[in-house]
Amino acid sequence: MFFHKQELQFSATPDKPDAVYARKLQEVLGGQYGEISVAMQYAFQGWNMHIPGKYRDLVFGIGAEEFGHVEMLAVMIAQLLEKSPLGITTDAVQADPTVAAVIGGTDVQHAIVAGAGARPVDSNGNPWQGSYITASGNLLADFTANANAEMQGRVQVARLYHMTDDSGVRDMLAFLLARDTMHQNQWLRAVEELKADGLEELPTPSNFPQKKEHTEVSYQYLNFSDGEHAKEGSWASGPSIDGKGEHTYHDGPTTSAPMPPPTRPDARFYGTTDVPNRVEKIAGTVQDKLHRE
């Protein structure tokens, strides 16, 4: 159940309108690592979770907070667009370089589609996609993805902080940066707690028997580059981080296999193959007559 309270978690009021910056701010609202993504990611992880308790409460609690961040950004974007021009003629653009610059940096769909409001899109106007979210049901994989999402989101918010001198906008971004700091730490802690609780461990999924994989290359670094220095890393020698193997280094692949022969799909796919065209045409006709769909 969701209940909406008409308050914001933190102030979201700019000093003045700025339609160009409103477009930039769309990235952390509707971009791949924006607030819509993390809100939906945590919600679906909670709905898909197989165990009750602290981990499900964690993702539901933070997911609800992230929906609040979606609202903060939408409200801020609407205020940044509050005094954006309704329309500008070609003559005006040509006569005023300032107007031309504004027109070149705004999202015209803010006006045409949303009526000076926020949209579920990124800074280039690409619609938000459900494919951005990760909710696999494996908590170690999901929580690691969550930490990455918070890191990428914080990088973007930090960049946006330096793209404005509006104190009101910066104040809101400073709050979001602080929450991203917490959320990064929280997900990395949750990963360690999953291991301590004996629920998951590396490699993920940990309940797949490793003896079924080609264990001779499980901890071997294969160098497929002409760079020489990867062998200096701890991933190329010494104990593996999962504690189950010892890393080794090999320059290039340890195995190779012949390329299989060319495929010959059903003639009615009409792909070009090594079979003579006339033969494929006959084969397709025969298959049709035999109703081999």
Side-chain angles (χ1 to χ4, degrees), residues 18-247:
D18 185 341
V20 175
Y21 192 79
R23 176 180 177 179
K24 296 176 183 178
L25 206 56
Q26 281 285 163
E27 190 63 37
V28 291
L29 174 62
Q32 182 177 358
Y33 298 108
E35 299 291 359
I36 296 176
S37 291
V38 288
M40 295 297 288
Q41 180 155 307
Y42 303 161
F44 272 93
Q45 286 179 5
W47 294 326
N48 293 349
M49 200 172 294
H50 306 296
I51 55 174
K54 61 184 178 182
Y55 296 113
R56 189 164 67 180
D57 288 355
L58 170 66
V59 294
F60 278 146
I62 303 308
E65 179 184 1
E66 300 292 8
F67 276 110
H69 294 176
V70 170
E71 184 169 47
M72 286 166 58
L73 284 165
V75 168
M76 177 64 83
I77 289 169
Q79 292 174 92
L80 288 167
L81 293 167
E82 187 174 11
K83 298 187 185 301
S84 57
L86 183 62
I88 300 176
T89 66
T90 303
D91 289 344
V93 172
Q94 293 174 344
D96 189 339
T98 303
V99 172
V102 170
I103 259 303
T106 59
D107 179 357
V108 294
Q109 290 198 339
H110 271 154
I112 299 169
V113 177
R119 302 175 60 233
V121 300
D122 66 16
S123 54
N124 281 328
N126 301 308
W128 181 83
Q129 301 179 49
S131 58
Y132 291 158
I133 72 171
T134 299
S136 71
N138 182 290
L139 298 191
L140 184 53
D142 285 353
F143 290 178
T144 303
N146 294 351
N148 172 66
E150 296 287 351
M151 292 174 189
Q152 296 290 348
R154 192 171 189 273
V155 166
Q156 293 180 358
V157 173
R159 289 169 176 164
L160 281 163
Y161 185 92
H162 295 291
M163 294 180 186
T164 181
D165 57 4
D166 187 301
S167 62
V169 174
R170 279 192 161 190
D171 196 32
M172 182 195 72
L173 295 181
F175 178 80
L176 293 176
L177 285 163
R179 295 308 296 155
D180 286 344
T181 296
M182 171 57 191
H183 294 163
Q184 286 183 37
N185 280 275
Q186 145 200 308
W187 292 123
L188 293 173
R189 276 293 183 196
V191 164
E192 294 307 311
E193 199 152 322
L194 279 170
K195 297 175 187 176
D197 288 345
L199 292 172
E200 290 290 348
E201 59 185 35
L202 291 172
T204 302
S206 53
N207 50 358
F208 181 85
Q210 278 193 271
K211 64 182 180 182
K212 290 184 179 292
E213 63 186 66
H214 286 270
T215 54
E216 67 273 13
V217 293
S218 292
Y219 298 98
Q220 188 171 53
Y221 181 86
L222 304 177
N223 185 34
F224 282 84
S225 169
D226 61 2
E228 301 178 356
H229 300 292
K231 61 186 176 185
E232 300 166 7
S234 56
W235 51 82
S237 64
S240 61
I241 198 167
D242 63 11
K244 298 176 182 177
E246 192 78 13
H247 287 302

Side-chain angles (χ1 to χ4, degrees), residues 257-276:
M259 181 69 73
T263 54
R264 298 188 181 100
D266 190 307
R268 293 165 297 175
F269 282 120
Y270 305 111
T272 303
T273 71
D274 60 351
V275 177

